[in-house]
Amino acid sequence: DQQVKQNSPSLSVQEGRISILNCDYTNSMFDYFLWYKKYPAEGPTFLISISSIKDKNEDGRFTVFLNKSAKHLSLHIVPSQPGDSAVYFCAVLSQGGSEKLVFGKGTKLTVNP
Amino acid sequence: GAGVSQTPSNKVTEKGKYVELRCDPISGHTALYWYRQSLGQGPEFLIYFQGTGAADDSGLPNDRFFAVRPEGSVSTLKIQRTERGDSAVYLCASSSPPVSTQYFGPGTRLTVL
C-alpha cells in the first residue's frame, strides 16, 4: 500500500518550458516533504523541501507547492534545462521517532534541447 | 566538505555468501540511514541510527540483515547467506538533526549471482 505516489513514470518537455512533477500522499500526518533528483549511477541529491506550515517554497528555478487538503505536492522547474534530465523522487518524512523518508517511485524527466 | 561515501561501489557475490557494505557519513552528522533501491522503485528504508544505537530497524527485511555503527560515525551493513533477491543498490544517508534533510551517498550496487 503506497503512502507516496508519483503517478507519472515519465515526463518529456522542451528546453525553456515549465516542467511540473506531481506527487500524492495518503497520510495527513506527514509534515515535511522533500524532492530529490537522481542521475544514473549516483545517489539521490537533495533539491528542495517544504514544511506543512507553508504552501510554497522557492529556490531559483525550482518551486514546490503543497496542497494539504488534497494531500498533493508538485515541483515546478522553470525554465527547464537539458541538465535537469534525471529521475525525480518525492519523499515524505515519516516521524514518530524514526525520521525515515518514504519515497515515491520516481518520475523520469527528459528535457529536450 | 566531503559528502557521504560508500564502499565498495559495486559488489558481486554468489548466493549464500556473506557481504559487508560500508558507509562513511558527513562529518558531524549524528543520524545515519540505510535504504535499498530496487529497479524501478524509490529507495526503501532499512534502518536508522542516532549516534551508535539503532533507533529504528523496522525496515530490515529479515534476520539475515544487520547493521552496526560502533563509534557513531562509520556504519557497516552486513548481509548473511545472500539471496538473489538481495540484489539492489544500497544507499546510505546522513543528517544533522534537528535539520531533517538527508544527504545520500552514491550507493553500493550489490549483485547476487
Side-chain angles (χ1 to χ4, degrees), chain B residues 49-106:
Chain B
F49 287 90
Q50 182 56 253
T52 60
D56 182 356
D57 64 358
S58 63
L60 295 177
N62 51 59
D63 61 7
R64 296 186 297 106
F65 289 74
F66 189 70
V68 295
R69 195 186 185 199
E71 297 178 356
S73 178
V74 170
S75 175
T76 304
L77 178 65
K78 308 180 181 194
I79 312 174
Q80 297 178 323
R81 304 182 305 279
T82 51
E83 299 178 356
R84 293 195 180 90
D86 299 335
S87 297
V89 175
Y90 288 80
L91 294 162
C92 177
S94 69
S95 70
S96 183
V99 177
S100 296
T101 302
Q102 296 178 22
Y103 296 91
F104 284 80

Side-chain angles (χ1 to χ4, degrees), chain A residues 34 36 44 91-94 98-103, chain B residues 6 21 23 31-38 42-49 56 59-61 65 67 77 79 86 88-95 100-108:
Chain A
L34 307 92
Y36 283 83
V92 301
L93 190 66
S94 176
S98 172
E99 303 283 317
K100 68 184 181 186
L101 291 175
V102 180
F103 285 84
Chain B
Q6 293 186 245
L21 312 179
C23 171
L32 184 147
Y33 312 79
W34 284 98
Y35 293 83
R36 177 167 75 170
Q37 185 175 16
S38 301
E44 294 178 320
F45 170 78
L46 295 176
I47 187 169
Y48 154 58
F49 287 90
D56 182 356
L60 295 177
F65 289 74
L77 178 65
I79 312 174
D86 299 335
V89 175
Y90 288 80
L91 294 162
C92 177
S94 69
S95 70
S100 296
T101 302
Q102 296 178 22
Y103 296 91
F104 284 80
T108 294

Side-chain angles (χ1 to χ4, degrees), chain A:
Chain A
D1 188 24
Q2 274 189 283
Q3 298 184 70
V4 180
K5 296 180 183 179
Q6 293 178 257
N7 291 319
S8 297
S10 62
L11 174 68
S12 184
V13 300
Q14 235 15 67
E15 181 178 6
R17 307 295 289 267
I18 185 171
S19 296
I20 300 176
L21 299 110
N22 294 301
C23 177
D24 297 294
Y25 59 95
T26 57
N27 190 337
S28 58
M29 297 301 291
F30 291 143
D31 63 0
Y32 193 70
F33 307 87
L34 307 92
W35 284 94
Y36 283 83
K37 177 170 75 172
K38 187 179 183 305
Y39 294 117
E42 296 184 10
T45 302
F46 170 71
L47 199 54
I48 193 169
S49 61
I50 188 167
S51 164
S52 61
I53 63 174
K54 295 186 174 182
D55 54 20
K56 176 183 173 181
N57 189 25
E58 191 172 349
D59 183 1
R61 297 186 296 115
F62 303 90
T63 303
V64 55
F65 295 92
L66 176 63
N67 182 334
K68 289 185 289 292
S69 61
K71 296 201 278 290
H72 177 85
L73 68 156
S74 61
L75 174 68
H76 292 209
I77 307 172
V78 56
S80 302
Q81 299 173 354
D84 296 330
S85 298
V87 178
Y88 288 78
F89 290 98
C90 168
V92 301
L93 190 66
S94 176
Q95 294 189 320
S98 172
E99 303 283 317
K100 68 184 181 186
L101 291 175
V102 180
F103 285 84
K105 289 188 175 184
T107 297
K108 183 176 181 180
L109 173 66
T110 302
V111 180
N112 300 302

